[in-house]
Amino acid sequence: MNADIARALIAEAKRIVVLTGAGISAESGVPTFRGPGGLWKSFRPEELATPEAFARNPCLVWEWYAWRRSLVAECQPNAGHIALARLALELPGRTTIVTQNVDGLHHRAARAVAGRADSAPAYPLEVHGAIHRDRCSGCGRVSDGVTDVDPTSVETLPACVKCGAMLRPDVVWFGEALDPAVIGAAFDAARVADLCLVVGTSALVYPAASVPEVTLQAGGAVIEVNLEATSLSRLARVSLRGEAGKLVPTLID
Ligand code: BJW
Ligand code: ZN
């Protein structure tokens, strides 16, 4: 059975890189981006997740992020996040979690499993940033996210305490460079991994979608967990169809 092969690959792997996307948080109540009920069903990405969109209509962009920030704050990590945190904590240094998600749920799962002091080995590389942080669009200063954003006018939007410029969510929009240290660490982990476990991503957005490709090129194997087939499915040694919150714990626990 495919799940048995996946379990054996995980058990035998010396180094594992995990790449997660919005699908792992779907069962926590965080909407995915594409597909039915996705965050972009009524808006095109270029209208909301680009620096041009922010320059054109910062109130609309902030309204969307303020809504998502409050939604995510109410969500809890699910059994998929918890199982991955356990995997990373079981043998520190063996597993690197790389996430495209900005929801912070992997962090929270790590703390739930290990407590604050010991949870660091299960912290993910967040290649697209974090929605609960703000970044100054002028001086780049990063701060805790403002929780009561008023997006009714440009004057009421949050401003930098240092330089007065407009704050923005500390996330990576289309056309923006990912932090080279963070994506570089993700590729390093992918290169030395004998296994890449890919969970709940459409694998459409680059450069993050290259993480499993790097493992494959280095001779490692890929396991995919997704509700649907993706472009990665035909390259995966094992491609499992189902909900991450149900499947991932059965592979790991
Ligand atoms: C379940 C499930 C359940 C559901 N269980 N599964 C190469 C080729 C072509 C284009 C490019 C390229 N390289 C770069 C580009 C351009 C662009 C890009 O990739 N475009 C493509 C869309 C074509 N990339 C960029 O612009 C990146 N920057 C860049 O390359 O900079 C270059 C540069 C260098 C130097 C100077 C300047 C520039 C940046 C990309 C940033 C992406 N940002 C977003 C928004 C983040 C902030 C926010 O959250 O608002 O990141 S876009 C959005 O997509 C978000 C996600 O992290 C990302 C990926 O989405 P994800 O996670 O895969 O979600 P979905 O919804 O697509 O899929 C969910 C999956 O889960 C589905 O498959 C479901 O079936 C499944 N599922 N429930 C299991 N319960
Ligand atoms: Zn500033």
Side-chain angles (χ1 to χ4, degrees), residues 31 84 89 120 169 179 188:
L84 291 176
L89 289 163
D179 182 331
D188 288 347

Side-chain angles (χ1 to χ4, degrees), residues 21-23 26-27 32-34 40 49 64-65 68 100-102 128 171-178 200-207 225-228 230 242-244:
E27 290 147 77
T32 61
F33 290 91
R34 300 163 187 87
W40 286 337
W64 190 54
Y65 278 97
R68 288 176 56 206
Q100 299 167 84
N101 299 344
V102 299
H128 291 162
V171 299
V172 181
W173 286 325
F174 282 115
E176 293 186 320
L178 283 68
T201 176
S202 55
L204 289 171
V205 175
Y206 284 84
V225 175
N226 199 304
L227 288 181
E228 304 173 345
T230 72
E243 292 180 328

